Amino acid sequence: MIPSLLPTYNRTPMSVDHGQGSWLVMADGRRFLDMGAGIAVNALGHAHPALTNVLTEQAGKLWHVSNLYQIPQQQALADRLVEETFADTVFFTNSGTEACELAVKMARKYWFEKGEDRMRILAFEGSFHGRSSAGIAAAGSEKMTHGFGPLLPGFTHLPWGDHDALEAAIKEPNIGAVLIEPVQGEGGIRPLPDQCLKGLRDLCDQHGVLLILDEVQCGVGRTGRLFAHEWAGITPDIMMVAKGIGGGFPLGAVLATEKAASGMTAGTHGSTYGGNPLACAVGLKIMEIIADPAFLEDVRRKSGHLRQALEGLIAAHPDIFEEVRGSGLMLGLRCRVPNTDVLARAYEENLLIVPAADNVLRILPALNIEEAEMTEAVARLDRAASAVIAAAA
Ligand SMILES: *Cc1c(COP(=O)(O)O)cnc(C)c1O
């Protein structure tokens, strides 16, 4: 018999009662150190007082009015994002996959209005852009698309890190946009080197192609810059944001230049819940805290500390771990044993981390995690690794 919850997830039998900062208290009372932050969502940890206050205050005033009317919180958040980034304009969604939908529609509408047949979009193997029809077509993997055809046409997939393949493909007729994660998340924390992102921007400019960045996982301070592309000193034409921007409240956004957004006139797109007062009040507070240069500097400092500790862990367990990679507080530990073996032992140590493709364990703590908590997390990983070795002996 089918369970009452559609069984699309392999859930760990773990039930969280409440959270505080980087700690989660299970229904049975166990306290877990949370190094996953709901897959890079709880950017300021759990039950952050400033976020709780702003949400409950807004909840007492107004939840929803519809985008038929002005929403001051939405306007304020858009203004703030425009002020802080390359973007001239913002559309709010409730999730990353909805941001993907709009990013694809926007790019296609841009070329349609120019009267050019450039509906094809280049995307990359190992990428993840959400589970909508556009999202799975953009990612293209067998795992995500199997059984869901006919797929949204127009996506061409290139191997990750193959500059020659990119250079050849981008010259082809009908290419209108390139869609890429500056740091692949689900794909196993695979960062695109700054030089490659610069080169990609140059190629896009050379061929008049729009650059769409998916910063749903790597954006909003996660890499130690407000957005990951800032490390390469380039800007996209369109950017997808979600996860951290809501800190756990559903919120996503598409940011764009005036040029890229020029086809999106009144009536061309919409969302009932997108940009509602609750989500935008929270998003605005998140931006206030995370866009502060001192906060981002702190993320970079913590990243250095955590990375160094993880390098020590690899040196201590060379049979278990191969390398640490990533950027800021978006780090991946590539394993030499099945990552799920280490994950199971980490759970036994009351530590939450997140598996990814390429046999990687993701370490995505709250950006405001304390140094002592990171040290504790690495100590727990060290015990988990020892337990894997002991079990194999
Ligand atoms: C999580 C994620 C998405 C999808 O976001 P949802 O909010 O789950 O729809 C898209 N792109 C990337 C890079 C992601 O990590």
Side-chain angles (χ1 to χ4, degrees):
M1 203 174 70
I2 193 164
S4 55
L5 276 174
L6 189 72
T8 59
Y9 297 109
N10 274 318
R11 293 176 196 271
T12 304
M14 215 181 253
S15 184
V16 185
D17 181 72
H18 64 277
Q20 190 69 59
S22 288
W23 295 88
L24 287 172
V25 181
M26 300 295 160
D28 61 12
R30 283 178 300 161
R31 278 168 55 80
F32 275 66
L33 184 48
D34 182 10
M35 297 298 278
I39 318 188
V41 167
N42 302 100
L44 297 176
H46 303 279
H48 189 286
L51 299 185
T52 304
N53 284 343
V54 80
L55 180 64
T56 49
E57 206 171 287
Q58 186 59 46
K61 274 201 251 174
L62 185 69
W63 290 18
H64 175 80
V65 288
S66 151
N67 285 301
L68 289 170
Y69 313 107
Q70 315 259 331
I71 300 173
Q73 297 80 6
Q74 190 183 125
Q75 183 64 56
L77 181 54
D79 290 345
R80 183 77 203 243
L81 286 166
V82 164
E83 189 183 306
E84 299 283 352
T85 70
F86 74 96
D88 302 313
T89 191
V90 182
F91 182 94
F92 291 106
T93 68
N94 308 287
S95 67
T97 200
E98 286 169 76
C100 180
E101 290 292 321
L102 175 56
V104 168
K105 283 178 70 177
M106 186 182 279
R108 288 187 169 164
K109 190 65 159 39
Y110 171 81
W111 290 113
F112 174 84
E113 293 295 339
K114 290 193 79 136
E116 291 186 44
D117 176 17
R118 292 176 67 157
M119 52 80 85
R120 283 176 63 205
I121 297 175
L122 295 179
F124 295 84
E125 288 167 9
S127 63
F128 183 79
H129 302 297
R131 299 297 196 131
S132 63
S133 293
I136 62 174
S141 69
E142 177 68 10
K143 186 181 154 206
M144 266 181 283
T145 59
H146 183 74
F148 294 116
L151 297 179
L152 185 69
F155 291 95
T156 298
H157 299 96
L158 304 174
W160 182 255
D162 186 340
H163 185 85
D164 294 341
L166 173 67
E167 210 166 349
I170 205 167
K171 288 194 189 106
E172 286 175 29
N174 309 339
I175 300 293
V178 173
L179 168 57
I180 193 166
E181 294 161 82
V183 184
Q184 278 192 349
E186 306 299 309
I189 311 291
R190 296 199 293 178
L192 194 65
D194 292 345
Q195 282 311 318
C196 295
L197 193 47
K198 272 197 195 111
L200 175 58
R201 177 72 266 184
D202 287 344
L203 276 175
C204 286
D205 289 341
Q206 225 173 300
H207 298 279
V209 167
L210 298 174
L211 177 59
I212 307 172
L213 294 182
D214 181 344
E215 294 225 17
V216 168
Q217 194 163 147
C218 64
V220 196
R222 181 55 50 190
T223 68
R225 298 262 187 192
L226 188 55
F227 289 101
H229 65 264
E230 294 170 22
W231 285 108
I234 61 109
T235 59
D237 300 288
I238 300 172
M239 177 168 71
M240 298 153 51
V241 178
K243 293 201 165 94
I245 187 81
F249 200 91
L251 176 63
V254 173
L255 280 65
T257 62
E258 182 166 14
K259 178 187 121 174
S262 57
M264 302 305 294
T265 51
T268 55
H269 196 65
S271 165
T272 294
Y273 282 131
N276 69 77
L278 292 170
C280 289
V282 173
L284 194 57
K285 181 54 75 179
I286 297 250
M287 280 297 292
E288 255 175 61
I289 295 171
I290 293 182
D292 178 351
F295 184 92
L296 293 168
E297 170 67 42
D298 206 41
V299 172
R300 297 194 288 273
R301 194 181 48 74
K302 285 173 187 168
S303 171
H305 174 94
L306 181 55
R307 245 195 133 104
Q308 198 176 10
L310 290 172
E311 293 289 1
L313 179 76
I314 296 169
H317 299 284
D319 297 336
I320 302 290
F321 302 114
E322 186 178 326
E323 64 162 343
V324 56
R325 62 198 191 196
S327 181
L329 291 176
M330 185 176 184
L331 297 176
L333 263 179
R334 188 151 198 272
C335 300
R336 290 190 194 275
V337 298
N339 60 352
T340 46
D341 289 2
V342 184
L343 183 68
R345 297 296 175 178
Y347 288 158
E348 287 173 10
E349 297 295 333
N350 291 4
L351 176 70
L352 293 188
I353 45 178
V354 183
D358 202 28
N359 207 28
V360 161
L361 292 171
R362 274 181 282 183
I363 299 172
L364 307 161
L367 304 180
N368 59 352
I369 188 171
E370 285 170 22
E371 214 135 299
E373 292 167 334
M374 294 192 297
T375 305
E376 177 60 26
V378 176
R380 291 181 186 204
L381 262 176
D382 183 76
R383 292 202 295 273
S386 297
V388 171
I389 292 168

